Amino acid sequence: MLSGSNVLLGITGSIAAYKAADLARRLMDEGAKVNVVMTDAACRFITPYTLESITGNAVHVDLFRDPYCHIHLAAESDLFIIAPATANTINKLSCGLADNLLSCLWLAYDGPALMAPAMNFRMYKNRTVQSNIKNFKKTGVEIIGPAKGSLACGEEGKGRMSEVSEIVEAAISVMSPHDLTGHKILVTAGPTREQIDPVRYISNRSSGKMGYALALAAKRRGADVTLVSGPCSVDPPHGVSIVYAETSDDMEKAVFKHLDKATAVIMSAAVSDFRADLNTKNKLDKNIVKSLKLNKTTDILKKLGSRKGKRFLIGFAAESGKNVKRASAKLKEKKLDLMVLNDISQEGAGFDTDTNIVTLIHKKGDVKDYPIMKKIEVAHIILDCLKKKKGSS
Ligand code: CTP
């Protein structure tokens, strides 16, 4: 996701500096080339050699080693991340001081920037620090955290550097095209569970990975995302507002509660089509139950179709076989703008995988097949269709 980007990672003197090694690694996993600049204080907590070994690039510390390093490195960087950012560095940078290589680079740099503050909670509350952080936000610097929790000094409070995964996610979001800004997208994901008794339920096979990938991709592209999730064990994406729903009834209520503001709805949840005609408080004796009578649940997508207004409505059709005719009929019946057909009999398009194989069927009849892709890539091609319908509600 950061493929081809030159990330400049500034490390300052906080105990959280040791986490910067992992941060460098994770940024590289996302495809970034990472150059590191460290303050003298940072070198007391972690050695430049560690960062050199991880990134494969010389680490920059000394302002006077190369007369133009601060100019060249700033010019060739696409993103500047300072993590951890100490109170001293934040205050220094905010008034434009340039007394070490990192602060000179900051002055010479003019692109997207992120800071992850880390300090004792009292220092973080300090009015100078607060006012400087506010000013950075105003000028477009993304401030990540700090988080609340136990601090290195043994105290509790707001001052811990944010998790590495959160900083990486912020970096990806900053570097993504924000072509869905203005969209408010409602995504559903995962299965629903229809209880029979306290132990047993009816459900569908679904990991939720496709819906979570859609929510993440949409958020990265600047959309305001609400994810209505059935029970699944995928980590909630940073920056997405999440509502949990257990049953199809819960999901229906949550969807219609958030529908008003939505400009688009993506129903990727595998909503159970049936519920048992009974729902007992106590566990049923298997010797007494001879058969189960099933009732149909509400087809949420169909109901959405009848109230869609100008919203862009996307549904999924999981079929055994590439049944375009059946999926197209569902698209018409449910008044969708786009149907995502996946043939669950194909290897790589099944459940619980990180990949999917889809055919996109558009309202006007265009049908396009895609090869096996990662679910996050599938999410982007689905969202590309939405891009053309921006800003309606
Ligand atoms: N869906 C829904 N409410 C349900 C069942 C399904 O909103 N009670 C939605 C799913 O989220 C999906 C779409 O309908 O986007 C298609 O689901 P699918 O199970 O493939 O098709 P159905 O229309 O339910 O028909 P069938 O199960 O007979 O194939």
Side-chain angles (χ1 to χ4, degrees), residues 261-275:
K261 288 189 199 143
T263 55
V265 185
I266 310 177
M267 274 300 295
S268 75
V271 186
S272 174
D273 289 310
F274 307 103
R275 71 165 73 86

Side-chain angles (χ1 to χ4, degrees), residues 64-81:
F64 298 103
R65 194 158 160 216
D66 169 351
Y68 300 112
C69 173
H70 61 296
I71 304 298
H72 297 149
L73 200 50
E76 67 196 37
S77 299
D78 305 307
L79 174 65
F80 198 163
I81 303 177

Side-chain angles (χ1 to χ4, degrees), residues 146-167:
K148 214 171 168 183
S150 58
L151 305 171
C153 55
E155 292 190 293
E156 290 270 330
K158 199 170 176 184
R160 280 173 67 87
M161 187 171 88
S162 289
E163 292 305 321
V164 165
S165 60
E166 204 174 328
I167 301 171

Side-chain angles (χ1 to χ4, degrees), residues 256 267 298-308 313 330 333-336:
F256 284 94
M267 274 300 295
T298 306
D299 189 324
I300 304 170
L301 185 57
K302 193 170 173 185
K303 192 166 163 186
L304 280 168
S306 65
R307 302 184 189 178
K308 65 183 279 201
L313 192 53
K330 284 183 188 175
E333 189 205 348
K334 301 188 186 189
K335 300 191 172 67
L336 309 184

